[in-house]
Amino acid sequence: MRCLLIASLVAGIVGSVSGHRAPVTARKSLGFGPIHDHAVYKSNPYQIITNGFLPQSSDADPFEVARLFIDDILGPKHVQTSYKIRSDSYTDPSTGITHVYVRQVVHGIEVADGNMNINIKDGRVLSYGSSFFNGQVPSMISLQDNYSLRYPHSEYCQDLTSELESQFSAFVALQNEQVPLGSQSAKEFDEFAGPLTHLHYSNCQFHTLADEMASQRPQAIGEIGDMRPALLQFMVAATPSSDVVTDILSKYDQHLEKMTVSGVNHFVDGEQTYLYIDNVPDAVKPVKAHMAYVQVPTKDGSVELVTAWKFEVEMEDNWYEAAVSAVAPHRIISVVDWASDAPIPSPEEPRKPASYNVYAWGVNDPSDGERTLEKENFDDLASPVGWHTLPFDNDPSYKGVKPSKEFYRNTTTTYGNNVFAQENWEGQNAYLDNYRPEAGDSSVYDFKYKPKESDEPMDVARNHINATVTQLFYTCNMIHDLYYRYGFTELAGNFQQYNFDRGGRDGDAVIANAQDGSGFNNANFMTPPDGTNGRMRMYLWNTANPYRDGDFEAGIVIHEYSHGLSTRLTGGPMNSGCLGWGESGGMGEGWGDFLATTIRSTKNYSDYPMGAWAANRPKGIRNYPYSLDDSINPSTYQTLDKPGYWGVHAIGEVWAEMLWVVSQALIKEHGFSDTLYPPLPLENGTVPSDDFYRPVVGKKPLVPIHGNTLAVQLVINGMKLQPCQPSFFDSRDAIILADEELTGGENFCTLWKAFASRGLGTDSRVAGRTPWGGGIRTNGYATPKKCQ
Ligand SMILES: *[C@@H]1O[C@H](CO)[C@@H](O)[C@H](O)[C@H]1NC(C)=O
Ligand SMILES: *[C@@H]1O[C@H](CO)[C@@H](O)[C@H](O)[C@H]1NC(C)=O
Ligand SMILES: *[C@@H]1O[C@H](CO)[C@@H](O)[C@H](O)[C@H]1NC(C)=O
Ligand SMILES: *[C@@H]1O[C@H](CO)[C@@H](O)[C@H](O)[C@H]1NC(C)=O
Ligand SMILES: *[C@@H]1O[C@H](CO)[C@@H](O)[C@H](O)[C@H]1NC(C)=O
């Protein structure tokens, strides 16, 4: 499955319960999908063994072990369902764990949300997650679906309406205002209720009109055929423009006629066949479509397979992966916005490292220190050819004739193998020819940064574009190198134009846009699957004069880049649909806050807000600063049930606070390392232990000595172990399993106690989760027996 995630830094209105509005602009973004109550994640090997699956010999081929294991789990159902092992599965040399990603197949058609991730080491299954459909498989592909027969459309729309009404009550209670909604409040409610209002409009109100129009055309209601009406219905929900909706409504048939469909036939058998639909209103590229099954809960609590069109829709500000039921009346079932918001050939002689006048790594923003001259990082593991060199063949901007014999090209701008950084004042998708600072032969990127108050703050900001882009390039490359050393490598799906034949897919450096014209007071990141460029858009903040430039706040850049990290590591490099909504979408936000806060923290403990400098707001843009003190940050698991906590940013804040508490517990136990950056590798490729890693014994993975470095390692290893669409429980369990594998479980009780202190103990519970993030949660403060 190809999918992509846009995650923006701040949610806008929903996140601020205090009554103060965070000064942000919200990009419209939809994200929801069916809750899979039948999905499991088992991280305790004993659970797996007692199910009857015994460890295989320690040198067994992990993929063979995976096949035996899947056959064992599927049991007699195996005759009805098959599967394929995805090509982005990999063995991680930094842990020795093989991550196997599996997609369910029924009647030759993929079950788009039937995922398994199996983690295997030395012939043992360490953990696995599964959301495979385990109900009655339909006898054959039928042109008639039963979905709308079993769940009539009128009933479905009634249910949506009452859900809307209950959200409205929550909204009114939160505002503490009984006044009728004016137009301003209507917009705020729209943001509060998230996708629901759009879904209700598209699936229920628009649908009725479309249905009337459709009845005049030959296609019979209730049959799978033309995907264009389903797509138009999705566009009505997805477009941020009411003009586009009006246009679709008034020229429905013309739009359908103009939308041309073409297919792509693959030479190799077994490849997914995609269709492309051109001239789709508000899409910037032809929409990719294929048919798939999706799992939908029925009224009686079981789950049924529904035939759906899966669309990949690239728009100006979103990149959606959506499933719409194929049979009319169409329903949008799930939406993920990919935007969130070998031998190493090396050049004959290494280039002279470039240098940059920037706020150095660890300085969060201009209020936190001065700019200094910092050097390009030549880390033989993370960036073996540095930050300004990439192969001619992998450079989309190179237009000349490649010099014979030369493999690499050196650049003298902020453009290299990991990051393409440039201004994007126009706010469009083009980036190749956008302006970048030029260092020439000096390789010194030293530009002035002295913005002053002015009547033309925009001009002032633009006059400092050289310094801004330099900073963005430097910060993004440092993040790339740091995460690489903690295991976000080529195999794991990292962002590089060229992968040095070390696995994964080439061609996906991060496109980092400074002063992006598509917004103010925010930032976002789009994560398509491995092999397609990630896109970061940093905005100016008009919260002060001179404007504050988000590119200078490292925490914001780190938060954004971390969407790429968590999306590529969760569920495998080629599945960008695992952190789309609810708890998993929230944790997608939380990891970024946690990592940004950990990177800026020092030996002297301090609480930290997020985005305080850019937003010009000492409290920052979240509800609370991150703090060990629960009178300063009271977030617990149950906080997720509070009104205003259904959006991913508020959920993420709770997760980040838990990780902060966990990391402080590890620091108390193991001390603090002044640098998070591991020692540079020696010429022979080995990493010295120094005072950073424990001395290496045999082929064991490197174990960080200190609490803060260990916390980062466990959090990143946990992302690789957790299932697609993880819950808080799953991600907690994955971190505990990561510790089991890395240290033999030394921190088992430290981790459990820290999670339990914020209500995520062994007895915490959730019931009645909704696709919008709701549910009834119970804090649990208990820890396993051996920790009491
Ligand atoms: C529809 O329901 C009938 C009767 O319950 C069943 O035999 C058939 O397989 C179902 N079709 C699909 C596509 O689920
Ligand atoms: C890039 O720089 C290296 C080191 O200075 C040099 O050996 C190499 O020839 C350069 N590549 C090109 C294409 O100029
Ligand atoms: C950026 O740097 C270049 C080269 O030093 C300089 O010519 C240009 O004027 C600078 N741009 C701005 C907006 O200061
Ligand atoms: C930590 O606090 C001590 C004592 O107050 C001070 O001397 C030191 O400079 C501080 N270190 C950092 C990194 O802030
Ligand atoms: C790499 O070099 C270091 C220092 O010279 C040495 O101690 C180590 O044994 C070497 N490792 C290998 C695998 O050759």
Side-chain angles (χ1 to χ4, degrees):
M1 172 172 58
R2 312 267 308 174
C3 43
L4 175 78
L5 186 71
I6 195 165
S8 52
L9 177 74
V10 281
I13 168 171
V14 184
S16 71
V17 237
S18 59
H20 293 284
R21 299 276 174 266
V24 298
T25 51
R27 180 181 58 86
K28 175 173 171 182
S29 176
L30 306 180
F32 62 87
I35 297 300
H36 292 142
D37 280 326
H38 65 288
V40 293
Y41 177 59
K42 304 234 186 248
S43 69
N44 182 339
Y46 298 101
Q47 291 177 318
I48 296 164
I49 290 165
T50 51
N51 276 356
F53 187 75
L54 297 170
Q56 307 296 302
S57 87
S58 67
D59 56 357
D61 173 1
F63 291 93
E64 198 44 47
V65 177
R67 283 188 199 96
L68 289 170
F69 182 70
I70 299 166
D71 291 347
D72 189 59
I73 292 196
L74 293 181
K77 287 210 181 69
H78 203 176
V79 284
Q80 297 175 331
T81 188
S82 63
Y83 60 87
K84 62 181 192 196
I85 292 184
R86 281 167 28 200
S87 61
D88 53 338
S89 305
Y90 63 99
T91 300
D92 188 339
S94 67
T95 57
I97 297 173
T98 302
H99 305 284
V100 182
Y101 301 105
V102 187
R103 176 63 48 76
Q104 188 176 19
V105 176
V106 168
H107 302 316
I109 295 183
E110 279 191 34
V111 179
D113 50 3
N115 290 305
M116 237 191 247
N117 72 314
I118 310 172
N119 302 305
I120 295 169
K121 190 177 171 184
D122 300 335
R124 277 189 322 139
V125 173
L126 305 176
S127 72
Y128 79 99
S130 172
S131 60
F132 268 32
F133 174 71
N134 53 21
Q136 187 60 40
V137 163
S139 48
M140 56 174 291
I141 311 165
S142 161
L143 289 186
Q144 297 286 335
D145 238 358
N146 292 335
Y147 182 32
S148 54
L149 295 178
R150 295 223 192 96
Y151 192 7
H153 206 64
S154 56
E155 203 177 315
Y156 166 84
C157 286
Q158 253 166 29
D159 287 349
L160 272 191
T161 305
S162 48
E163 180 78 39
L164 253 185
E165 282 165 2
S166 82
Q167 294 238 2
F168 185 71
S169 312
F171 175 73
V172 171
L174 187 66
Q175 302 284 303
N176 201 14
E177 285 170 4
Q178 303 302 326
V179 294
L181 288 182
S183 61
Q184 176 60 25
S185 303
K187 184 170 175 291
E188 291 184 357
F189 173 63
D190 193 49
E191 285 172 18
F192 179 86
L196 248 190
T197 49
H198 303 290
L199 189 69
H200 184 264
Y201 180 75
S202 169
N203 280 5
C204 297
Q205 290 170 263
F206 169 78
H207 167 265
T208 314
L209 297 164
D211 224 25
E212 281 165 17
M213 295 183 263
S215 62
Q216 292 153 24
R217 290 193 321 277
Q219 190 203 329
I221 305 286
E223 279 189 9
I224 299 170
D226 194 352
M227 84 288 283
R228 294 175 302 176
L231 180 55
L232 263 191
Q233 194 174 318
F234 175 70
M235 296 316 295
V236 165
T239 179
S241 157
S242 54
D243 291 348
V244 171
V245 175
T246 311
D247 188 61
I248 292 177
L249 269 176
S250 62
K251 301 193 190 123
Y252 186 79
D253 279 331
Q254 284 102 305
H255 276 296
L256 280 188
E257 244 162 65
K258 269 204 309 218
M259 287 161 63
T260 50
V261 182
S262 55
V264 171
N265 292 312
H266 288 278
F267 181 64
V268 183
D269 211 31
E271 285 283 318
Q272 180 79 53
T273 300
Y274 287 101
L275 298 165
Y276 288 86
I277 307 146
D278 215 341
N279 303 318
V280 179
D282 236 21
V284 297
K285 292 236 180 88
V287 168
K288 210 166 151 183
H290 72 274
M291 193 165 271
Y293 282 120
V294 291
Q295 306 175 64
V296 178
T298 57
K299 292 292 270 184
D300 63 11
S302 62
V303 178
E304 127 173 51
L305 282 186
V306 170
T307 340
W309 286 106
K310 290 226 64 175
F311 297 119
E312 291 173 27
V313 186
E314 195 175 344
M315 301 165 67
E316 198 69 47
D317 287 327
N318 310 82
W319 199 338
Y320 283 120
E321 175 191 329
V324 184
S325 62
V327 172
H330 306 290
R331 289 175 206 166
I332 304 170
I333 295 169
S334 70
V335 189
V336 172
D337 191 346
W338 286 342
S340 294
D341 70 28
I344 307 170
S346 56
E348 314 291 89
E349 351 157 10
R351 270 184 302 104
K352 174 175 76 169
S355 51
Y356 319 86
N357 188 355
V358 285
Y359 296 99
W361 190 241
V363 178
N364 190 64
D365 58 68
S367 70
D368 196 27
E370 297 299 322
R371 292 198 305 160
T372 48
L373 212 56
E374 297 298 318
K375 271 211 164 66
E376 178 180 5
N377 193 28
F378 272 95
D379 179 321
D380 281 344
L381 287 171
S383 289
V385 298
W387 296 346
H388 295 273
T389 297
L390 73 171
F392 282 96
D393 288 346
N394 299 49
D395 180 352
S397 78
Y398 192 73
K399 296 182 184 105
V401 179
K402 176 182 147 183
S404 62
K405 287 199 202 144
E406 292 286 355
F407 181 73
Y408 287 111
R409 168 173 181 234
N410 305 316
T411 74
T412 56
T413 63
T414 49
Y415 186 95
N417 198 44
N418 309 327
V419 182
F420 303 150
Q422 53 277 318
E423 58 73 25
N424 188 28
W425 293 326
E426 287 194 359
Q428 304 294 310
N429 287 351
Y431 69 95
L432 282 176
D433 297 326
N434 295 20
Y435 177 78
R436 299 186 184 92
E438 170 67 52
D441 291 338
S442 75
S443 306
V444 179
Y445 295 78
D446 183 3
F447 302 102
K448 76 171 166 59
Y449 180 59
K450 285 207 170 70
K452 294 207 173 66
E453 188 175 340
S454 154
D455 293 339
E456 303 289 346
M458 191 60 113
D459 292 348
V460 172
R462 290 186 174 185
N463 279 336
H464 292 90
I465 194 67
N466 284 324
T468 301
V469 176
T470 298
Q471 181 75 51
L472 183 61
F473 181 76
Y474 166 82
T475 309
C476 285
N477 271 295
M478 280 304 293
I479 303 168
H480 167 277
D481 289 3
L482 181 86
Y483 288 175
Y484 190 102
R485 298 297 306 277
Y486 283 87
F488 188 32
T489 59
E490 295 90 350
L491 259 179
N494 77 352
F495 297 94
Q496 290 173 198
Q497 279 307 113
Y498 178 57
N499 283 357
F500 309 101
D501 290 334
R502 298 193 286 198
R505 283 153 186 80
D506 292 333
D508 60 353
V510 168
I511 298 166
N513 294 335
Q515 299 187 358
D516 196 285
S518 63
F520 268 102
N521 304 346
N522 212 330
N524 54 53
F525 195 94
M526 305 194 187
T527 315
D530 196 21
T532 306
N533 298 99
R535 197 189 307 150
M536 176 187 291
R537 300 191 296 184
M538 299 300 299
Y539 297 158
L540 285 168
W541 294 64
N542 59 11
T543 51
N545 189 344
Y547 285 172
R548 299 198 167 176
D549 189 321
D551 301 288
F552 284 114
E553 181 150 356
I556 300 180
V557 181
I558 294 165
H559 174 101
E560 296 310 330
Y561 198 109
S562 302
H563 282 298
L565 170 80
S566 57
T567 303
R568 290 274 176 91
L569 292 187
T570 306
M574 296 296 286
N575 187 353
S576 289
C578 292
L579 301 174
W581 63 84
E583 288 189 14
S584 49
M587 290 189 292
E589 300 296 332
W591 283 302
D593 277 19
F594 167 70
L595 289 163
T597 305
T598 298
I599 287 168
R600 71 185 296 193
S601 63
T602 68
K603 216 176 210 106
N604 297 341
Y605 175 84
S606 165
D607 296 347
Y608 293 101
M610 266 310 282
W613 177 77
N616 194 11
R617 215 168 168 252
K619 282 182 52 189
I621 53 174
R622 306 288 184 236
N623 293 314
Y624 307 105
Y626 293 115
S627 174
L628 264 185
D629 182 342
D630 56 15
S631 70
I632 293 173
N633 187 324
S635 305
T636 62
Y637 181 51
Q638 216 169 314
T639 305
L640 300 186
D641 290 353
K642 287 174 64 173
Y645 272 84
W646 290 350
V648 286
H649 294 90
I651 298 172
E653 180 177 342
V654 175
W655 180 243
E657 170 67 8
M658 286 181 179
L659 293 181
W660 181 245
V661 170
V662 165
S663 72
Q664 293 305 320
L666 290 170
I667 289 167
K668 205 168 159 215
E669 192 88 16
H670 300 288
F672 188 91
S673 169
D674 283 326
T675 175
L676 280 181
Y677 203 95
L680 289 177
L682 303 172
E683 263 178 26
N684 64 13
T686 55
V687 176
S689 302
D690 291 357
D691 183 33
F692 196 92
Y693 291 119
R694 295 184 188 173
V696 178
V697 190
K699 276 178 67 187
K700 286 271 187 313
L702 293 164
V703 184
I705 291 175
H706 299 97
N708 53 337
T709 50
L710 184 62
V712 171
Q713 189 68 72
L714 294 181
V715 163
I716 289 179
N717 288 3
M719 290 179 194
K720 295 178 180 173
L721 293 168
Q722 68 197 3
C724 187
Q725 283 168 31
S727 65
F728 272 40
F729 300 151
D730 296 337
S731 296
R732 172 201 64 195
D733 292 352
I735 287 172
I736 290 167
L737 175 63
D739 178 61
E740 177 72 36
E741 289 308 310
L742 191 65
T743 72
E746 284 173 20
N747 303 292
F748 184 80
C749 290
T750 308
L751 295 169
W752 268 115
K753 283 178 184 166
F755 278 118
S757 74
R758 292 296 178 142
L760 205 63
T762 49
D763 54 342
S764 49
R765 295 282 175 270
V766 61
R769 288 186 295 156
T770 71
W772 338 106
I776 300 158
R777 291 171 178 78
T778 313
N779 278 338
Y781 297 97
T783 54
K785 266 205 193 82
K786 74 174 189 191
C787 305
Q788 285 150 16

